[in-house]
Amino acid sequence: MNPKAQVMDATALSRAMARITHEIIERNRGAADICLLGVKRRGIPLAAMLAENIKRFEGIDVPLGYLDITRHRDDMTEQEKQHAAAECHIPCDIRKKTVIIVDDVLYTGRTARAALEAVFAHDRPLAVQLAVLIDRGHRELPIRPDYVGKNVPTARSEQVAVMLEQIDDSTGVYICDSADEE
């Protein structure tokens, strides 16, 4: 990773996640009927942050799980998908829940589409919402997040790197040169 600029430090990231939590609670009239599903890899700790915030703000333990979207990606052959070890953990019956898919960066929309497919392969939820830390634009599919930590306009030649303590031993969001991430 070759960072050009830091977009968020740990404090700004924490504030953005707290704001998203309040928006989720307000939009859903509480948190009793939601389930948080983090997209593997960095969506998982972000979903855990939202769950911790909901517990602190509302006193409710929301179901928290994760999605591995590997088998639902559209850039892999069927043979590659068969060999992929995709696992999902959906901790509750989602038929009467609003599922909130949580991811770090929204770019083309292809990861979000694959996450939707992973959810619906499990069961049909009451509703699905999308929460992302960073929306960098450049959509290729008609997908729009319900909750955004920060909009970060980027060039296609740039990459947004989200670093989280649980995975990377530091926390922050950076704009870097080169390579697509979604």
Side-chain angles (χ1 to χ4, degrees), residues 60-161:
I60 296 172
D61 286 313
V62 296
L64 173 63
Y66 61 87
L67 300 169
D68 183 339
I69 56 128
T70 308
R71 288 194 177 140
H72 301 281
R73 293 174 51 128
D74 63 3
D75 61 348
M76 296 175 72
T77 66
E78 285 304 314
Q79 188 175 10
E80 289 172 323
K81 289 179 186 181
Q82 294 300 321
H83 295 300
E87 60 180 69
C88 296
H89 172 64
I90 299 179
C92 63
D93 180 0
I94 61 173
R95 288 177 289 182
K96 294 185 179 175
K97 296 276 187 191
T98 294
V99 168
I100 301 174
I101 297 170
V102 183
D103 203 5
D104 58 348
V105 178
L106 179 59
Y107 180 31
T108 62
R110 295 186 180 282
T111 297
R113 183 210 46 83
L116 279 168
E117 284 188 24
V119 169
F120 280 92
H122 180 76
D123 213 336
R124 183 174 187 251
L126 183 65
V128 180
Q129 298 171 358
L130 177 61
V132 297
L133 179 62
I134 302 294
D135 182 351
R136 63 171 286 192
H138 303 290
R139 217 75 77 238
E140 294 174 4
L141 299 173
I143 291 178
R144 189 179 81 199
D146 298 281
Y147 312 101
V148 177
K150 187 172 183 75
N151 288 294
V152 179
T154 60
R156 285 191 181 270
S157 63
E158 295 173 319
Q159 180 177 8
V160 175

